[in-house]
Amino acid sequence: MTSQLTLDGGNIPRLPSFQMGSSFYRVLLLVGFCAPMFCMSSSNPYNRESPHPPSMKSNPASQVSPSNTKFAFLLYQRLAQESPGQNILFSPVSISTSLAMLSLGARSATKTQILRSLGFNLTIMREPTIHLGFEHLVRSLNECHKGRELRMGSVLFIKKELQLQAKFLDRVKKLYGTKVFSEDFSNAVAAQAQINSYVERETKGKVVGVIQDLDSQTAMVLVNHIFFKANWTQPFSAANTNKSFPFLLSKGTTVHVPMMHQTELFAFGVDRELGCSVLQMDYRGDAVAFFVLPGKGKMRQLEKSLSAGRLRKWSRSLQKRWIKVFIPKISISASYNLETILPQMGIRDAFNSNADFSGITKTHFLQVSKAAHKAVLDVSEEGTEAAATTTTKLIVRSRDTPSSIIAFNQPFLILLIDKITESILFLGKVENPRKM
């Protein structure tokens, strides 16, 4: 990625700490505007008989992967609690990257709260190791992979008069590949239009109008965007799609949705402890999707049990078998105001008067006023486009016939994972495939 810095360093006097309240500005943190999509294709770069991802031990990104996964599931559980019966969709890797990058400019308790809430034990892992891991993660995700398109990037829009710390600028550019632009927030309408245009362009038109009612008090807008598009190794045939297939909602009512289906060799297993079935479908370009179907009345139990250890068990225990799969075509989106959720997860000071972002600038008091996230997901015959130790074992039921049937015709979870970094690119729950 390239970085661009066009800052107009105004002549702002450095204020003593007791005057900072009179020089207050808001930081608008826009995290993870995503556009994922499910697509079609051929041939897996890995042995098709082995659904397990390659070893990550030598990859620095593996240092941050377990913490990112832990944060992903904790955030999911919060969102599920806040939005019962609703579709859920977000990009954990995008949100984690945004917050880790923000921590570069945080100091004292503000920094500690961010990193601990991201799942890092600071007595075991030093801060430089964390940022080195994210540097390799961002670099790996943006490398070219045949058969998929994945692009994640960060950009800072900075108030023209704001004098930034040179060290902060150097580190966000070097470690996170961040682009930096000077912005005139006094003209809030024009600034809003420019930032919305940038996000729309970077997500190829999938995410539109992300900022509404931009405040002229804003001093900095941080945007992290991610775009994913890949082809299935085993595509569905559009000719076989049932145009009106019943899908049972959690409330007991039924909607009719287009349902794709095919019979193929897929990695599959049953988690008896949680009462759910797990299906893995591969993309070209080192990415996989997990579809997790809980038994009737088992969704809450499944959601509460999500963990890095559980995901690791699924990844290692699935077995290839011939199976007939029914998956609905999906076009869903979700938006979140994370400034109401992140404080519940321990990131408190960043959003109040205790905020310490003196690593970004010492001339103004900065406080995060908004942390917004939006994701869009399309699943079709062609593929996808967007955006604890346990003894549980997954088994393949011996009573199944060679061509078993699994139909995702009721609420289910979906995880989209990058194999190389073992990062959850997108995580969601499909409660209603027809609801955007």
Side-chain angles (χ1 to χ4, degrees), residues 183-202:
E183 187 60 69
D184 181 9
F185 288 111
S186 64
N187 188 342
V189 174
Q192 176 174 304
Q194 182 171 337
I195 297 173
N196 283 341
S197 177
Y198 180 91
V199 174
E200 182 176 352
R201 184 170 63 252
E202 291 297 313

Side-chain angles (χ1 to χ4, degrees), residues 73-309:
F73 289 136
L74 288 174
L75 179 55
Y76 174 89
Q77 288 157 356
R78 288 283 180 180
L79 295 176
Q81 186 177 351
E82 295 276 334
S83 309
Q86 300 296 315
N87 291 334
I88 295 174
L89 180 65
F90 66 100
S91 172
V93 70
S94 179
I95 296 174
S96 292
T97 300
S98 298
L99 292 172
M101 179 178 137
L102 186 66
S103 76
L104 283 173
R107 296 293 181 265
S108 60
T110 305
K111 176 192 290 288
T112 302
Q113 288 175 11
I114 293 174
L115 294 178
R116 284 182 177 171
S117 296
L118 285 175
F120 296 106
N121 185 332
L122 299 178
T123 62
I124 296 176
M125 185 179 296
R126 297 175 61 248
E127 185 187 352
T129 304
I130 295 173
H131 294 298
L132 179 63
F134 274 101
E135 178 187 13
H136 284 265
L137 173 62
V138 172
R139 186 180 303 164
S140 178
L141 292 180
N142 283 290
E143 286 178 353
C144 292
H145 291 258
K146 186 176 181 181
R148 86 174 188 193
E149 185 178 357
L150 176 59
R151 200 170 62 248
M152 184 173 77
S154 298
V155 59
L156 285 174
F157 294 91
I158 304 293
K159 183 180 179 68
K160 285 184 177 181
E161 297 82 7
L162 199 66
Q163 292 180 326
L164 300 189
Q165 298 276 56
K167 184 177 180 180
F168 173 75
L169 282 177
D170 290 342
R171 295 180 77 193
V172 296
K173 290 192 292 183
K174 177 181 180 296
L175 297 172
Y176 292 85
T178 304
K179 297 179 181 179
V180 182
F181 298 102
S182 177
E183 187 60 69
D184 181 9
F185 288 111
S186 64
N187 188 342
V189 174
Q192 176 174 304
Q194 182 171 337
I195 297 173
N196 283 341
S197 177
Y198 180 91
V199 174
E200 182 176 352
R201 184 170 63 252
E202 291 297 313
T203 59
K204 297 195 172 183
K206 297 296 293 183
V207 179
V208 179
V210 295
I211 300 180
Q212 302 295 325
D213 303 321
L214 185 67
D215 196 322
S216 60
Q217 285 269 355
T218 300
M220 182 176 78
V221 174
L222 185 160
V223 178
N224 178 280
H225 54 82
I226 183 169
F227 177 87
F228 174 83
K229 184 174 183 177
N231 296 326
W232 297 120
T233 59
Q234 299 297 330
F236 294 87
S237 170
N240 294 334
T241 297
N242 187 319
K243 305 301 182 186
S244 182
F245 196 96
F247 186 96
L248 181 63
L249 305 181
S250 57
K251 295 180 180 179
T253 55
T254 299
V255 297
H256 285 79
V257 301
M259 184 71 73
M260 310 177 295
H261 68 88
Q262 65 168 309
T263 301
E264 201 26 273
L265 192 64
F266 291 122
F268 176 73
V270 175
D271 187 329
R272 283 181 167 171
E273 182 181 350
L274 297 183
C276 64
S277 300
V278 183
L279 172 73
Q280 175 182 317
M281 290 188 61
D282 295 346
Y283 297 103
R284 295 180 63 189
D286 302 333
V288 299
F290 284 95
F291 295 87
V292 187
L293 182 67
K296 188 174 181 180
K298 300 284 188 179
M299 177 62 82
R300 288 286 301 276
Q301 178 184 348
L302 170 61
E303 291 177 327
K304 290 180 180 179
S305 301
L306 290 173
S307 68

Side-chain angles (χ1 to χ4, degrees), residues 332-372:
I332 63 173
S333 65
S335 300
Y336 304 101
N337 294 320
L338 297 179
E339 69 272 12
T340 64
I341 295 173
L342 293 176
Q344 300 175 32
M345 299 178 67
I347 305 178
R348 297 179 297 274
D349 287 2
F351 297 93
N352 62 37
S353 59
N354 293 322
D356 184 352
F357 289 106
S358 55
I360 297 177
T361 176
K362 289 188 176 180
T363 60
H364 295 84
F365 171 75
L366 298 179
Q367 173 184 325
V368 179
S369 62
K370 189 172 184 62

